[in-house]
Amino acid sequence: MKEKEKQLFKALCKFKENWFDTSLLEFATPTVLGQLFFNRMQGVAYGTLKRHNLLGKVNREFRNSLGTAYDQNIQKNDSFEKCIVMLSEILSPCTCKVAMLKGAYLCAHYPDGYRTSNDVDLLVLPKDVTSIGHLLSSAGFMQGNIRNGEFVPATRQEIIESKMMRGETVPYIKEVNLPFMKFFEVDINFSLDYKNGTGDTLSDMLSNVCIKNEKELSIPMLDDADFFIHLCAHLYKEATTLPWIEMHRDMTLYKYCDIYMLLSEMTDAQLERIFARATELGMEKVCAYTVLETMGLFDMDNTFAYGIANVVLEDDPDFCLRVASPKDKKVLKYQTNDVTERFFMEARAEDLKEVDENEAP
Protein backbone atom coordinates (compact mmCIF):
# COMPACT_ATOMS: atom_id res chain seq x y z
CA MET A 1 0.00 0.00 0.00
CA LYS A 2 1.04 3.58 -0.61
CA GLU A 3 1.65 5.73 2.46
CA LYS A 4 -1.44 7.89 1.95
CA GLU A 5 -3.60 4.77 1.52
CA LYS A 6 -2.32 3.49 4.85
CA GLN A 7 -3.12 6.83 6.48
CA LEU A 8 -6.66 6.79 5.09
CA PHE A 9 -7.20 3.21 6.21
CA LYS A 10 -6.18 4.09 9.75
CA ALA A 11 -8.23 7.31 9.76
CA LEU A 12 -11.37 5.40 8.74
CA CYS A 13 -10.81 2.92 11.59
CA LYS A 14 -10.28 5.56 14.31
CA PHE A 15 -13.97 6.10 14.96
CA LYS A 16 -13.39 7.78 18.32
CA GLU A 17 -11.55 10.72 16.69
CA ASN A 18 -13.41 14.02 16.40
CA TRP A 19 -11.35 15.25 13.43
CA PHE A 20 -10.82 13.75 9.98
CA ASP A 21 -8.21 14.76 7.40
CA THR A 22 -10.40 15.14 4.29
CA SER A 23 -7.34 15.43 2.02
CA LEU A 24 -6.90 11.66 2.43
CA LEU A 25 -10.21 10.85 0.72
CA GLU A 26 -8.69 11.00 -2.78
CA PHE A 27 -6.82 7.83 -1.78
CA ALA A 28 -10.02 5.81 -1.29
CA THR A 29 -8.76 3.07 -3.58
CA PRO A 30 -9.75 -0.58 -4.10
CA THR A 31 -6.69 -1.48 -2.03
CA VAL A 32 -8.00 0.46 0.98
CA LEU A 33 -11.45 -1.03 0.47
CA GLY A 34 -10.01 -4.54 0.43
CA GLN A 35 -8.04 -3.93 3.64
CA LEU A 36 -11.18 -2.68 5.40
CA PHE A 37 -13.10 -5.84 4.50
CA PHE A 38 -10.15 -8.16 5.21
CA ASN A 39 -9.84 -6.65 8.70
CA ARG A 40 -13.62 -6.64 9.37
CA MET A 41 -13.58 -2.85 9.68
CA GLN A 42 -16.01 -2.01 6.87
CA GLY A 43 -18.86 -1.12 9.23
CA VAL A 44 -16.59 1.12 11.31
CA ALA A 45 -15.31 2.86 8.16
CA TYR A 46 -18.83 3.56 6.91
CA GLY A 47 -19.82 4.89 10.33
CA THR A 48 -16.74 7.15 10.41
CA LEU A 49 -17.54 8.65 7.01
CA LYS A 50 -21.18 9.11 7.96
CA ARG A 51 -20.38 10.79 11.28
CA HIS A 52 -18.08 13.29 9.58
CA ASN A 53 -20.59 13.90 6.72
CA LEU A 54 -18.09 12.60 4.16
CA LEU A 55 -20.05 9.86 2.39
CA GLY A 56 -20.59 12.07 -0.64
CA LYS A 57 -16.85 12.78 -0.90
CA VAL A 58 -15.74 9.28 -1.85
CA ASN A 59 -16.10 7.18 -4.98
CA ARG A 60 -19.58 5.68 -5.41
CA GLU A 61 -18.38 2.07 -5.51
CA PHE A 62 -16.29 2.63 -2.40
CA ARG A 63 -19.24 4.21 -0.57
CA ASN A 64 -21.83 1.68 -1.72
CA SER A 65 -19.67 -1.32 -0.82
CA LEU A 66 -19.20 0.00 2.71
CA GLY A 67 -22.86 0.99 2.99
CA THR A 68 -24.15 -2.42 1.94
CA ALA A 69 -21.81 -4.12 4.41
CA TYR A 70 -22.90 -1.74 7.16
CA ASP A 71 -26.57 -2.54 6.51
CA GLN A 72 -25.79 -6.26 6.54
CA ASN A 73 -23.96 -5.85 9.84
CA ILE A 74 -27.05 -4.26 11.39
CA GLN A 75 -29.26 -7.11 10.19
CA LYS A 76 -26.75 -9.73 11.29
CA ASN A 77 -26.48 -8.13 14.73
CA ASP A 78 -30.26 -8.16 15.03
CA SER A 79 -30.11 -11.92 14.38
CA PHE A 80 -27.22 -12.27 16.83
CA GLU A 81 -29.17 -10.44 19.56
CA LYS A 82 -32.09 -12.83 19.07
CA CYS A 83 -29.65 -15.70 19.55
CA ILE A 84 -28.24 -14.13 22.72
CA VAL A 85 -31.77 -13.89 24.14
CA MET A 86 -32.42 -17.52 23.15
CA LEU A 87 -29.16 -18.66 24.75
CA SER A 88 -29.92 -16.76 27.97
CA GLU A 89 -33.27 -18.53 28.19
CA ILE A 90 -31.64 -21.93 27.58
CA LEU A 91 -29.09 -21.29 30.33
CA SER A 92 -31.60 -19.83 32.83
CA PRO A 93 -32.20 -23.15 34.71
CA CYS A 94 -28.44 -23.47 35.32
CA THR A 95 -27.23 -22.61 38.82
CA CYS A 96 -23.52 -22.58 37.90
CA LYS A 97 -21.46 -19.52 37.02
CA VAL A 98 -21.35 -18.70 33.31
CA ALA A 99 -19.77 -15.71 31.58
CA MET A 100 -20.24 -14.69 27.95
CA LEU A 101 -16.97 -13.49 26.45
CA LYS A 102 -15.86 -11.09 23.70
CA GLY A 103 -18.45 -10.45 20.99
CA ALA A 104 -21.57 -11.19 23.03
CA TYR A 105 -21.03 -7.89 24.83
CA LEU A 106 -18.90 -5.98 22.33
CA CYS A 107 -21.35 -6.22 19.42
CA ALA A 108 -23.95 -4.47 21.56
CA HIS A 109 -21.51 -1.97 23.06
CA TYR A 110 -20.22 -0.64 19.74
CA PRO A 111 -22.36 1.80 17.72
CA ASP A 112 -24.89 -0.07 15.58
CA GLY A 113 -23.37 -1.91 12.62
CA TYR A 114 -19.73 -1.53 13.65
CA ARG A 115 -18.95 -5.05 14.86
CA THR A 116 -20.35 -8.51 14.26
CA SER A 117 -19.77 -11.94 15.75
CA ASN A 118 -20.41 -15.43 14.45
CA ASP A 119 -20.59 -17.19 17.79
CA VAL A 120 -20.77 -16.90 21.56
CA ASP A 121 -17.94 -18.04 23.79
CA LEU A 122 -18.99 -19.21 27.26
CA LEU A 123 -16.55 -19.45 30.15
CA VAL A 124 -17.41 -22.05 32.79
CA LEU A 125 -15.71 -24.24 35.39
CA PRO A 126 -14.59 -27.67 34.12
CA LYS A 127 -17.08 -29.41 36.44
CA ASP A 128 -19.97 -27.53 34.79
CA VAL A 129 -19.17 -28.33 31.14
CA THR A 130 -21.38 -31.44 31.03
CA SER A 131 -24.47 -29.78 32.49
CA ILE A 132 -24.14 -26.79 30.13
CA GLY A 133 -23.69 -29.18 27.22
CA HIS A 134 -26.86 -31.07 28.19
CA LEU A 135 -28.88 -27.85 28.27
CA LEU A 136 -27.67 -26.93 24.79
CA SER A 137 -28.26 -30.44 23.40
CA SER A 138 -31.78 -30.45 24.83
CA ALA A 139 -32.41 -27.17 23.00
CA GLY A 140 -31.45 -28.66 19.64
CA PHE A 141 -27.72 -27.85 19.48
CA MET A 142 -25.35 -30.48 18.08
CA GLN A 143 -21.56 -30.66 18.29
CA GLY A 144 -19.69 -30.23 15.05
CA ASN A 145 -18.35 -27.67 12.60
CA ILE A 146 -19.55 -25.64 9.64
CA ARG A 147 -17.73 -26.61 6.46
CA ASN A 148 -18.63 -25.11 3.08
CA GLY A 149 -21.76 -23.66 4.62
CA GLU A 150 -23.04 -27.00 5.90
CA PHE A 151 -23.06 -28.60 9.35
CA VAL A 152 -20.70 -31.55 9.81
CA PRO A 153 -21.20 -33.55 13.05
CA ALA A 154 -18.15 -34.10 15.24
CA THR A 155 -16.82 -37.59 15.79
CA ARG A 156 -16.49 -38.96 19.30
CA GLN A 157 -12.70 -38.77 18.96
CA GLU A 158 -12.87 -35.06 18.00
CA ILE A 159 -15.06 -34.33 21.02
CA ILE A 160 -12.65 -36.09 23.41
CA GLU A 161 -9.50 -34.56 21.87
CA SER A 162 -10.89 -31.02 22.00
CA LYS A 163 -11.66 -31.34 25.70
CA MET A 164 -8.25 -32.78 26.51
CA MET A 165 -6.02 -30.67 24.25
CA ARG A 166 -7.69 -27.28 23.79
CA GLY A 167 -9.51 -26.48 27.02
CA GLU A 168 -12.76 -26.05 25.13
CA THR A 169 -15.49 -28.20 23.67
CA VAL A 170 -16.21 -28.86 20.02
CA PRO A 171 -18.67 -26.08 19.08
CA TYR A 172 -22.36 -26.56 19.79
CA ILE A 173 -24.27 -25.49 16.68
CA LYS A 174 -27.93 -24.94 15.90
CA GLU A 175 -29.48 -24.06 12.56
CA VAL A 176 -31.49 -20.86 13.17
CA ASN A 177 -31.96 -19.56 9.59
CA LEU A 178 -31.97 -15.90 10.58
CA PRO A 179 -30.89 -13.06 8.25
CA PHE A 180 -27.12 -13.36 7.65
CA MET A 181 -26.94 -16.07 10.30
CA LYS A 182 -27.91 -19.53 9.16
CA PHE A 183 -26.22 -21.21 12.13
CA PHE A 184 -25.69 -20.11 15.71
CA GLU A 185 -22.54 -21.44 17.37
CA VAL A 186 -21.72 -21.69 21.06
CA ASP A 187 -18.22 -22.52 22.28
CA ILE A 188 -17.76 -23.68 25.88
CA ASN A 189 -14.38 -22.69 27.33
CA PHE A 190 -13.19 -24.16 30.62
CA SER A 191 -9.56 -23.07 30.50
CA LEU A 192 -8.05 -19.59 30.39
CA ASP A 193 -4.74 -20.78 28.90
CA TYR A 194 -2.92 -18.28 31.10
CA LYS A 195 0.61 -19.60 31.47
CA ASN A 196 1.19 -17.91 34.83
CA GLY A 197 -2.29 -18.11 36.33
CA THR A 198 -2.92 -20.16 39.46
CA GLY A 199 -5.30 -23.08 39.55
CA ASP A 200 -7.87 -20.90 41.27
CA THR A 201 -7.80 -18.12 38.65
CA LEU A 202 -10.78 -19.39 36.67
CA SER A 203 -12.89 -19.86 39.80
CA ASP A 204 -11.84 -16.43 41.02
CA MET A 205 -12.87 -14.77 37.77
CA LEU A 206 -16.21 -16.55 37.58
CA SER A 207 -17.02 -15.64 41.19
CA ASN A 208 -17.18 -12.01 40.00
CA VAL A 209 -19.58 -12.53 37.11
CA CYS A 210 -21.93 -9.58 36.70
CA ILE A 211 -24.85 -8.71 34.45
CA LYS A 212 -24.26 -5.94 31.89
CA ASN A 213 -27.21 -4.31 30.18
CA GLU A 214 -26.58 -3.14 26.61
CA LYS A 215 -29.26 -2.25 24.07
CA GLU A 216 -31.97 -4.15 25.97
CA LEU A 217 -29.75 -7.22 26.34
CA SER A 218 -28.76 -8.61 29.74
CA ILE A 219 -25.37 -10.27 29.35
CA PRO A 220 -23.58 -12.28 32.08
CA MET A 221 -19.97 -11.12 31.93
CA LEU A 222 -16.68 -11.16 33.74
CA ASP A 223 -16.13 -7.92 35.64
CA ASP A 224 -14.62 -5.05 33.64
CA ALA A 225 -10.98 -5.73 34.56
CA ASP A 226 -11.14 -9.47 33.93
CA PHE A 227 -13.07 -8.96 30.69
CA PHE A 228 -10.37 -6.61 29.38
CA ILE A 229 -7.55 -8.90 30.52
CA HIS A 230 -9.19 -11.86 28.78
CA LEU A 231 -9.47 -9.85 25.56
CA CYS A 232 -5.79 -8.93 25.84
CA ALA A 233 -4.81 -12.55 26.39
CA HIS A 234 -6.84 -13.73 23.41
CA LEU A 235 -5.32 -11.09 21.11
CA TYR A 236 -1.80 -11.75 22.38
CA LYS A 237 -2.04 -15.49 21.85
CA GLU A 238 -3.11 -15.12 18.22
CA ALA A 239 -0.70 -12.27 17.40
CA THR A 240 2.37 -14.05 18.79
CA THR A 241 1.84 -17.66 17.68
CA LEU A 242 3.51 -18.65 14.40
CA PRO A 243 0.66 -20.69 12.84
CA TRP A 244 -1.70 -17.69 13.16
CA ILE A 245 0.90 -15.47 11.50
CA GLU A 246 1.33 -17.94 8.66
CA MET A 247 -2.47 -18.03 8.18
CA HIS A 248 -2.55 -14.20 8.11
CA ARG A 249 -5.00 -14.21 11.00
CA ASP A 250 -2.66 -12.78 13.62
CA MET A 251 -3.32 -9.04 13.33
CA THR A 252 -6.89 -8.73 12.05
CA LEU A 253 -7.60 -5.16 13.08
CA TYR A 254 -11.07 -5.60 14.57
CA LYS A 255 -9.46 -7.32 17.59
CA TYR A 256 -7.26 -4.29 18.21
CA CYS A 257 -10.26 -2.02 17.64
CA ASP A 258 -11.98 -3.68 20.60
CA ILE A 259 -9.05 -2.66 22.80
CA TYR A 260 -8.96 0.82 21.22
CA MET A 261 -12.62 1.40 22.03
CA LEU A 262 -12.39 0.17 25.63
CA LEU A 263 -9.13 2.04 26.26
CA SER A 264 -10.70 5.24 24.92
CA GLU A 265 -13.50 4.92 27.47
CA MET A 266 -11.27 4.21 30.49
CA THR A 267 -10.17 6.54 33.24
CA ASP A 268 -6.59 6.36 34.52
CA ALA A 269 -7.90 4.80 37.74
CA GLN A 270 -9.69 2.04 35.81
CA LEU A 271 -6.57 1.26 33.80
CA GLU A 272 -4.48 1.20 36.95
CA ARG A 273 -6.91 -1.31 38.47
CA ILE A 274 -6.67 -3.48 35.36
CA PHE A 275 -2.87 -3.63 35.57
CA ALA A 276 -3.04 -4.37 39.30
CA ARG A 277 -5.42 -7.25 38.57
CA ALA A 278 -3.29 -8.42 35.65
CA THR A 279 -0.27 -8.53 37.95
CA GLU A 280 -2.23 -10.78 40.35
CA LEU A 281 -2.87 -13.12 37.42
CA GLY A 282 0.67 -12.98 36.03
CA MET A 283 -0.74 -11.28 32.92
CA GLU A 284 0.73 -7.79 33.24
CA LYS A 285 3.15 -8.23 30.30
CA VAL A 286 0.38 -9.51 28.05
CA CYS A 287 -1.77 -6.50 28.91
CA ALA A 288 1.17 -4.14 28.34
CA TYR A 289 1.80 -5.76 24.95
CA THR A 290 -1.81 -5.34 23.85
CA VAL A 291 -2.07 -1.76 25.07
CA LEU A 292 1.18 -0.67 23.37
CA GLU A 293 0.45 -2.43 20.08
CA THR A 294 -3.08 -0.98 19.97
CA MET A 295 -1.90 2.52 20.81
CA GLY A 296 0.64 2.28 17.99
CA LEU A 297 -1.88 1.08 15.43
CA PHE A 298 -4.48 3.70 16.35
CA ASP A 299 -2.03 6.54 17.08
CA MET A 300 -3.52 6.95 20.54
CA ASP A 301 -2.30 9.81 22.70
CA ASN A 302 -2.66 8.41 26.22
CA THR A 303 0.38 9.29 28.29
CA PHE A 304 -0.79 7.36 31.35
CA ALA A 305 -1.47 4.13 29.45
CA TYR A 306 1.81 4.42 27.57
CA GLY A 307 3.70 5.01 30.81
CA ILE A 308 2.18 2.17 32.83
CA ALA A 309 2.67 -0.34 29.99
CA ASN A 310 6.27 0.68 29.42
CA VAL A 311 7.10 0.36 33.12
CA VAL A 312 5.82 -3.23 33.01
CA LEU A 313 8.09 -4.06 30.07
CA GLU A 314 11.15 -2.01 31.02
CA ASP A 315 13.11 -5.16 31.98
CA ASP A 316 11.98 -7.05 28.85
CA PRO A 317 12.18 -4.59 25.92
CA ASP A 318 11.80 -7.29 23.25
CA PHE A 319 8.59 -8.75 24.67
CA CYS A 320 6.43 -7.13 21.97
CA LEU A 321 8.61 -8.62 19.21
CA ARG A 322 8.78 -12.27 20.28
CA VAL A 323 6.73 -15.01 18.66
CA ALA A 324 6.28 -18.64 19.72
CA SER A 325 6.47 -21.60 17.38
CA PRO A 326 4.72 -24.37 19.36
CA LYS A 327 5.45 -27.16 16.88
CA ASP A 328 9.23 -26.98 17.24
CA LYS A 329 9.25 -25.10 20.57
CA LYS A 330 11.30 -22.26 19.11
CA VAL A 331 11.20 -18.54 19.87
CA LEU A 332 11.28 -16.09 16.96
CA LYS A 333 11.64 -12.34 16.91
CA TYR A 334 10.39 -9.63 14.57
CA GLN A 335 13.15 -7.52 13.06
CA THR A 336 10.78 -4.58 12.52
CA ASN A 337 9.93 -2.65 15.67
CA ASP A 338 7.15 -0.40 14.37
CA VAL A 339 3.75 -2.07 14.75
CA THR A 340 2.13 -0.17 11.86
CA GLU A 341 4.94 -1.18 9.52
CA ARG A 342 4.53 -4.79 10.62
CA PHE A 343 0.76 -4.62 10.21
CA PHE A 344 0.98 -3.64 6.54
CA MET A 345 3.58 -6.28 5.63
CA GLU A 346 2.32 -8.76 3.06
CA ALA A 347 4.31 -11.60 4.64
CA ARG A 348 5.02 -10.91 8.31
CA ALA A 349 6.47 -14.38 8.84
CA GLU A 350 9.40 -13.42 6.61
CA ASP A 351 10.34 -10.67 9.10
CA LEU A 352 10.88 -13.24 11.86
CA LYS A 353 14.24 -14.67 12.85
CA GLU A 354 14.94 -17.41 15.34
CA VAL A 355 16.18 -16.23 18.72
CA ASP A 356 19.37 -17.77 20.03
CA GLU A 357 18.66 -20.03 23.01
CA ASN A 358 20.78 -17.81 25.20
CA GLU A 359 18.65 -14.79 24.27
CA ALA A 360 15.25 -16.48 24.70
CA PRO A 361 13.34 -15.66 27.92
Side-chain angles (χ1 to χ4, degrees):
M1 288 178 78
K2 297 174 183 175
E3 184 58 34
K4 291 292 185 180
E5 290 175 322
K6 294 176 184 178
Q7 290 177 24
L8 174 61
F9 171 81
K10 291 179 72 170
L12 290 170
C13 296
K14 292 187 279 189
F15 71 95
K16 290 284 189 177
E17 290 285 334
N18 292 319
W19 179 80
F20 193 97
D21 182 359
T22 56
S23 69
L24 294 172
L25 293 176
E26 64 178 286
F27 301 97
T29 63
T31 301
V32 174
L33 187 64
Q35 282 283 4
L36 290 169
F37 275 84
F38 186 82
N39 285 281
R40 288 173 58 178
M41 296 297 291
Q42 63 270 34
V44 170
Y46 183 83
T48 298
L49 289 171
K50 185 177 181 181
R51 189 165 70 88
H52 292 287
N53 297 312
L54 295 173
L55 287 170
K57 302 289 186 181
V58 293
N59 173 279
R60 183 185 67 177
E61 302 308 326
F62 192 96
R63 175 179 65 248
N64 288 349
S65 296
L66 294 180
T68 300
Y70 175 81
D71 291 339
Q72 289 179 355
N73 280 2
I74 288 177
Q75 293 180 64
K76 183 173 182 177
N77 275 350
D78 184 59
S79 297
F80 188 64
E81 288 171 12
K82 287 181 172 66
C83 290
I84 294 286
V85 172
M86 175 185 71
L87 180 60
S88 295
E89 291 174 354
I90 292 169
L91 297 177
S92 59
C94 182
T95 57
C96 57
K97 293 286 188 179
V98 181
M100 295 186 186
L101 304 170
K102 299 183 296 185
Y105 168 73
L106 290 167
C107 287
H109 189 64
Y110 271 94
D112 290 341
Y114 278 33
R115 192 193 195 280
T116 61
S117 181
N118 298 313
D119 56 24
V120 168
D121 288 278
L122 299 179
L123 185 64
V124 304
L125 292 172
K127 68 181 181 66
D128 297 322
V129 171
T130 301
S131 59
I132 297 292
H134 284 158
L135 287 173
L136 292 171
S137 297
S138 299
F141 284 80
M142 295 186 291
Q143 287 187 271
N145 294 279
I146 304 301
R147 297 197 177 101
N148 298 318
E150 298 298 329
F151 175 76
V152 179
T155 64
R156 179 170 176 77
Q157 183 178 356
E158 287 172 335
I159 292 171
I160 293 171
E161 284 181 354
S162 184
K163 275 190 175 183
M164 292 179 64
M165 304 296 293
R166 297 172 57 194
E168 63 183 24
T169 62
V170 171
Y172 285 81
I173 296 172
K174 182 174 183 175
E175 188 169 347
V176 291
N177 289 312
L178 292 168
F180 300 102
M181 185 171 283
K182 181 179 180 182
F183 297 99
F184 177 45
E185 179 178 320
V186 177
D187 297 320
I188 304 176
N189 299 266
F190 50 92
S191 170
L192 292 166
D193 196 33
Y194 293 175
K195 293 178 183 177
N196 300 322
T198 67
D200 295 328
T201 299
L202 179 59
S203 180
D204 182 14
M205 281 187 162
L206 286 171
S207 68
N208 294 321
V209 167
C210 58
I211 301 295
K212 280 289 185 77
N213 296 304
E214 287 281 342
K215 296 177 183 172
E216 300 181 1
L217 289 177
S218 295
I219 304 165
M221 283 177 52
L222 300 175
D223 81 353
D224 290 344
D226 287 347
F227 181 81
F228 186 81
I229 292 166
H230 180 268
L231 271 184
C232 289
H234 186 75
L235 184 153
Y236 172 79
K237 180 181 177 182
E238 294 181 353
T240 62
T241 305
L242 184 60
W244 285 86
I245 297 168
E246 292 173 334
M247 291 186 293
H248 302 284
R249 293 178 61 192
D250 54 316
M251 289 185 75
T252 316
L253 196 67
Y254 80 94
K255 293 176 284 190
Y256 295 84
C257 193
D258 293 342
I259 304 297
Y260 161 72
M261 176 180 66
L262 295 176
L263 262 181
S264 299
E265 297 169 352
M266 272 180 213
T267 64
D268 291 352
Q270 287 171 323
L271 187 60
E272 196 167 26
R273 177 177 175 264
I274 283 169
F275 270 93
R277 174 63 166 158
T279 301
E280 291 177 14
L281 301 173
M283 297 294 293
E284 68 275 18
K285 285 188 176 182
V286 166
C287 283
Y289 168 95
T290 308
V291 166
L292 290 174
E293 297 283 282
T294 299
M295 289 181 67
L297 286 170
F298 285 86
D299 307 309
M300 296 181 74
D301 183 17
N302 186 328
T303 306
F304 184 81
Y306 185 79
I308 197 170
N310 271 299
V311 167
V312 168
L313 296 181
E314 62 184 351
D315 295 328
D316 194 355
D318 290 337
F319 186 81
C320 290
L321 301 175
R322 287 198 297 270
V323 164
S325 176
K327 185 169 65 174
D328 50 21
K329 297 181 179 178
K330 290 181 179 179
V331 177
L332 309 169
K333 179 182 168 184
Y334 279 114
Q335 303 306 294
T336 302
N337 290 347
D338 185 78
V339 63
T340 296
E341 192 176 338
R342 273 187 273 123
F343 175 82
F344 285 110
M345 285 178 176
E346 292 186 8
R348 274 186 291 278
E350 294 178 5
D351 192 58
L352 291 166
K353 287 189 177 179
E354 186 177 344
V355 174
D356 185 274
E357 287 186 13
N358 296 322
E359 297 178 43

